[in-house]
Amino acid sequence: MTAELVRGQNHPLSQIRLVIRISAGVPVLAGATFGDENGAVNGPQWVAHPAAPALLGVEVPRQPATEHRLAVDLGAVPEAVHRVDVFLALPAGAEGPLRFGAVAAPHTTVEGLDGTELACYTVTGLDSETAVLALELYRRQGAWKVRAMGQGYAAGLTALLADRGLREAADLAAAIHEASAQGPSRVLPTPPSLPSPDESAARAPHDTSAAVAYDASAATARDSRASLPYDTSVPEPQDTPASGTAGRTPSYAPQRPEPAPSYDAQNPYDAQASGAVPPDPGGRIDYTHPGRRPQGTPPPAAAAADDRPAPPVAGDAVGWSMEERLYNQVWGMFEDLARTTAAYRSAVDFADSRLEKELDETLTDPRNRLGSAGDAAREAAHARRTQLVDQARAALDRDLAQLTAESEVVEPALPPAYARWDNPVWHGYRVPAEPPMALRLGDLRLPESAPLHIPLLVRLPLERGLWLDSGAPAADGLPDTAELRHLALEAAVALAVRLLAVHPPGDFALQVIDPAGAGATAFGPLMRTGVLAGPPATGAAGVTELLERLTRRVDLVQMALRAGAPESLPADVDTARQLLIVNDFPHGFDDRAVTRLRYLADEGPGVGVHLLLVADREDAAAYGPLLDPLWRSLMRLTPVPDDHFSDPWVGHAWTYEPSLVPAGSQIVHQVLAEVARTLPKHR
């Protein structure tokens, strides 16, 4: 899976023979520098550029172009080299833009020789810069990593080379521009497929300047996903905080087609690289989703450069309807928050690692071990670390302010299926004529942005069951076991009411299993308003009867669908979608009932039978690994905040908070009364 990097983020490289592809909106020249363990360039002989395109292990193109392909063999670079930096520059004296801020953001991709994409980075946030350090390949403890740099230089290539410690920076920059001006700029042809590693090993190094284009067709094929402006994978819940779900696209990801744009809308970077989204002219990195532009704003060619961000607008994403645009906008906010937080954490990690290195260097110098020189060096190192962290925090706070402003506009505009229970939209609730495309299960937040909550929206119909975990480790300040069970049941009822309320009359039915009757109080509103399809099943006999009825429904509907004759179902089969709420599992379940429940969890969602399990996994410990597939098949939710979700882009551990009804609110009773008013007409 390709790692989409943000500024300052690093990623380990699984291969050392690489191809670095560069795509820009205008012709640029590309080069690379070697750096020692301190990042210093030991003379012009350590710079690969159009006048001298080959170094040991590195080859770069000879002329400016909109597409470049650099060949890198990290195993062949000299032992003294610890860093390989890739830079871009606008040609001097050429007709065209005078700064990167006036063109589409350059896009870089690091690939293996077999074409496997290892990492990519879009260099955003440039303004007056004419040269930029895009990527850094560096050696750490015997292994190579890539870091997204995005460091721009308004003074051009001379400043970039001088910053690497090169004394002859001005002369070398002039020579580079002179050499690059000798040949015409062009869009290079698409190269043939890359050779295998064995074939490449048998070939001598070759000049990459004549056949090194970016394979746009291959990129489009690699990036094709669902037809949406960005990846809308739902984070996979796990029993413990984990980050291994980045990039996973579960079966309930959106599949609604989008209008075909003029660029690859699935890839958020293609949208900006194509010029469909204007680069940020503010001289700062922009973490907002590149594929999103407020409704009604002019295209980039007509938009005036302005340092101020556009005011947030509800529904500024792509979609067929306002509901779909809001859904996509919420997911865009989700991704924006994930990426800007990743950039902040990566910057803090970088500052910490640099502080550790500087302190080690101070300790290894005998002159700094005694006296005030050592104290001064340590204080300076800590001051530099603080400065870096403060700068990263300022960038994070700026992005959080923008997202918070967007959230304040979006939340009031959400329809009932997406809205919190305290949203005024519920006070004007009317039974809908069509089911929604998604449902809000709760909120997600990160420690760095605690006040900002992102709605957790999942597509409907549900293709996984839900599990309200009523068990949690006891800790100070957390409810006890009895209170947790009560909160879990209340959260389950709130979810059931929401599901019932957002479907048309007669399209959704609720069934309840409460073997011991422990949930009579929580189920009271459902029973008093008559919205349940039948009384709660109690005792072992009631559990068995209801499970048999739902199992029969699943079997009959599956057979009818396979035969292509859904109209042949018996009259006593309810074709409405069913939500089965199971309280206090596994109490009242024998082995046969457990097997049927597992069957419903696996086969039910495909034919309209969904599970909402309220249970403590420890209560089912006696079944051992028999129930492990059941727990894994369900999306785990908690009645109290818990950080068990991870996003599909970066893999942060997100804190989930359930969507509960405010204390003392009568909104659930009002909604149920409106639903019940329409039910007799449809039963």
Side-chain angles (χ1 to χ4, degrees), residues 498-553:
R498 183 184 290 267
L499 274 165
L500 185 65
V502 300
H503 282 82
D507 278 13
F508 205 84
L510 298 182
Q511 307 275 1
V512 173
I513 290 179
D514 189 19
T521 301
F523 294 131
L526 302 177
M527 299 171 63
R528 287 192 295 270
T529 54
V531 297
L532 289 180
T538 58
V543 171
T544 300
E545 189 276 331
L546 181 54
L547 290 177
E548 286 181 350
R549 179 151 42 92
L550 290 176
T551 301
R552 173 176 176 268
R553 179 195 181 282

Side-chain angles (χ1 to χ4, degrees), residues 328-343:
N328 291 339
Q329 185 174 12
V330 168
W331 271 92
M333 295 165 58
F334 187 12
E335 181 177 0
D336 290 345
L337 183 55
R339 294 191 184 280
T340 189
T341 304

Side-chain angles (χ1 to χ4, degrees), residues 7-47:
R7 186 178 183 182
Q9 187 178 1
N10 59 59
H11 184 73
L13 294 173
S14 58
Q15 303 182 41
I16 60 173
R17 305 185 69 188
L18 308 170
V19 173
I20 299 178
R21 296 184 182 271
I22 297 168
S23 176
V26 296
V28 297
L29 61 87
T33 64
F34 284 168
D36 60 18
E37 58 185 358
N38 297 317
V41 178
N42 295 338
Q45 71 277 7
W46 272 24
V47 181

Side-chain angles (χ1 to χ4, degrees), residues 267-644:
N267 186 346
Y269 296 114
D270 269 4
Q272 190 161 2
S274 67
V277 179
D280 187 308
R284 49 180 168 73
I285 185 166
D286 181 8
Y287 295 109
T288 58
H289 196 284
R292 297 165 59 209
R293 179 166 56 85
Q295 294 288 104
T297 57
D306 191 343
D307 288 339
R308 295 171 299 175
V313 178
D316 74 343
V318 177
W320 291 97
S321 63
M322 186 62 173
E323 179 191 19
E324 188 168 9
R325 291 198 296 271
L326 286 169
Y327 173 85
N328 291 339
Q329 185 174 12
V330 168
W331 271 92
M333 295 165 58
F334 187 12
E335 181 177 0
D336 290 345
L337 183 55
R339 294 191 184 280
T340 189
T341 304
Y344 169 73
R345 293 180 178 179
S346 180
V348 173
D349 291 342
F350 172 75
D352 290 338
S353 64
R354 195 175 81 165
L355 172 63
E356 181 180 356
K357 180 179 179 180
E358 290 178 350
L359 292 178
D360 289 342
E361 291 175 351
T362 301
L363 291 175
T364 56
D365 189 346
R367 296 171 296 178
N368 294 330
R369 293 177 183 174
L370 298 175
S372 60
D375 294 336
R378 285 187 288 272
E379 290 178 2
H382 282 283
R384 284 189 290 270
R385 189 264 181 196
T386 301
Q387 181 183 14
L388 285 175
V389 173
D390 289 346
Q391 290 175 351
R393 184 70 214 193
L396 176 65
D397 290 341
R398 182 200 67 227
D399 296 332
L400 291 181
Q402 294 179 6
L403 286 172
T404 300
E406 186 174 11
S407 177
E408 291 172 351
V409 172
V410 170
E411 278 286 356
L414 295 177
Y418 302 175
R420 291 194 298 253
W421 283 110
D422 58 359
N423 192 311
V425 71
W426 284 107
H427 293 283
Y429 167 78
R430 292 294 181 269
V431 177
E434 296 182 356
M437 66 176 292
L439 187 82
R440 185 175 190 153
L441 297 183
D443 293 336
L444 297 173
R445 59 179 171 84
L446 290 171
E448 293 86 352
S449 56
L452 179 60
H453 289 64
I454 302 295
L456 173 58
L457 303 181
V458 297
R459 290 296 297 263
L460 292 180
L462 295 172
E463 296 201 11
R464 298 181 64 193
L466 304 175
W467 164 33
L468 261 298
D469 190 354
S470 60
D476 294 339
L478 291 179
D480 58 21
T481 302
E483 181 64 15
L484 278 173
R485 293 178 186 274
H486 172 71
L487 292 175
L489 193 53
E490 282 192 343
V493 171
L495 273 176
V497 173
R498 183 184 290 267
L499 274 165
L500 185 65
V502 300
H503 282 82
D507 278 13
F508 205 84
L510 298 182
Q511 307 275 1
V512 173
I513 290 179
D514 189 19
T521 301
F523 294 131
L526 302 177
M527 299 171 63
R528 287 192 295 270
T529 54
V531 297
L532 289 180
T538 58
V543 171
T544 300
E545 189 276 331
L546 181 54
L547 290 177
E548 286 181 350
R549 179 151 42 92
L550 290 176
T551 301
R552 173 176 176 268
R553 179 195 181 282
V554 170
D555 290 339
L556 290 175
V557 172
Q558 283 183 337
M559 287 188 291
L561 293 177
R562 289 168 184 164
E567 68 282 353
S568 64
L569 287 169
D572 63 337
V573 175
D574 187 358
T575 57
R577 289 190 173 273
Q578 309 283 320
L579 177 68
L580 175 60
I581 307 175
V582 180
N583 182 40
D584 207 16
F585 177 81
H587 182 80
F589 281 71
D590 55 20
D591 291 346
R592 186 179 181 85
V594 169
T595 301
R596 283 181 173 149
L597 188 70
R598 286 184 54 188
Y599 176 77
L600 292 177
D602 294 337
E603 303 294 333
V607 290
V609 176
H610 311 280
L611 286 185
L612 177 52
L613 204 63
V614 183
D616 180 358
R617 189 168 183 173
E618 292 300 321
D619 293 343
Y623 287 92
L626 177 66
L627 290 182
D628 286 349
L630 174 64
W631 304 119
R632 287 195 297 267
S633 69
L634 303 175
M635 177 182 286
R636 177 176 174 254
L637 307 175
T638 55
V640 294
D642 186 72
D643 56 351
H644 64 282

